[in-house]
Amino acid sequence: MLTLAIAVVSGAAYGIGLGENARAFLISRALKEFVLIITSLGGNLETVYGLSGLGDLIVTASSFNSRNFKCGINIGHGMALDEAIRTVGQSVEGVRAIEASYLIGKKYNLDLPIINIAYDIINKKYSVNDAISKILSRELKNEKYW
């Protein structure tokens, strides 16, 4: 679920012209959010760091064959959410995954800055440029990943 949400964010970052390093930051930080959500729901770290977790995150958030990544690119290019989804021409589960992850974060009081900003983008609180700038300028702190 979270891999699909992060693919939309990664695609949006690509769509506004951010480079590989910025996208690597987003994907790496998303791994922390993945850990928080999975463990809050009683899941195992092995799920996060296995093929169905980390493996899927890497390919889904960086492949031009990923529907969710393509939808994010469209959003980054300035398309409205409905148009971005329609242009992909297939189901884009990442948008629903963003909403579900956001609600899980609120329920369990989790620090999910990427999911929160993605939620704000799809709900038109921030433009993609403003949202990505906000997340990339977030104050650095020591974060334990497990």
Side-chain angles (χ1 to χ4, degrees):
M1 167 179 77
L2 185 59
T3 59
L4 303 174
I6 298 306
V8 174
V9 176
S10 179
Y14 181 88
I16 63 170
L18 290 184
E20 299 296 322
N21 287 336
R23 286 188 28 240
F25 164 79
L26 289 171
I27 294 168
S28 296
R29 179 53 174 84
L31 187 60
K32 167 69 174 183
E33 297 184 25
F34 201 174
V35 167
L36 289 172
I37 289 174
I38 293 293
T39 57
S40 292
L41 296 174
N44 297 316
L45 285 176
E46 290 82 9
T47 303
V48 176
Y49 292 107
L51 289 175
S52 63
L54 180 58
D56 189 51
L57 176 62
I58 291 168
V59 73
T60 305
S62 60
S63 172
F64 291 97
N65 292 318
S66 164
R67 300 178 301 244
N68 295 286
F69 184 70
K70 285 192 258 188
C71 181
I73 291 171
N74 292 340
I75 292 168
H77 285 159
M79 285 186 193
L81 179 61
D82 290 344
E83 181 185 4
I85 292 170
R86 192 173 43 257
T87 301
V88 170
Q90 296 175 304
S91 178
V92 179
E93 302 93 340
V95 173
R96 289 187 302 277
I98 290 168
E99 292 171 359
S101 298
Y102 175 83
L103 293 173
I104 291 167
K106 291 297 175 200
K107 179 177 181 178
Y108 291 97
N109 195 31
L110 304 175
D111 182 27
L112 306 175
I114 295 174
I115 287 298
N116 292 342
I117 209 76
Y119 184 83
D120 289 343
I121 290 170
I122 65 171
N123 287 291
K124 300 178 184 172
K125 183 175 178 184
Y126 290 108
S127 71
V128 174
N129 281 323
D130 290 343
I132 299 292
S133 292
K134 182 177 178 178
I135 200 69
L136 292 176
S137 65
R138 184 173 189 246
E139 184 179 336
L140 296 176
K141 60 183 179 180
N142 187 5
E143 295 186 280
K144 189 174 180 180
Y145 275 67
W146 47 80

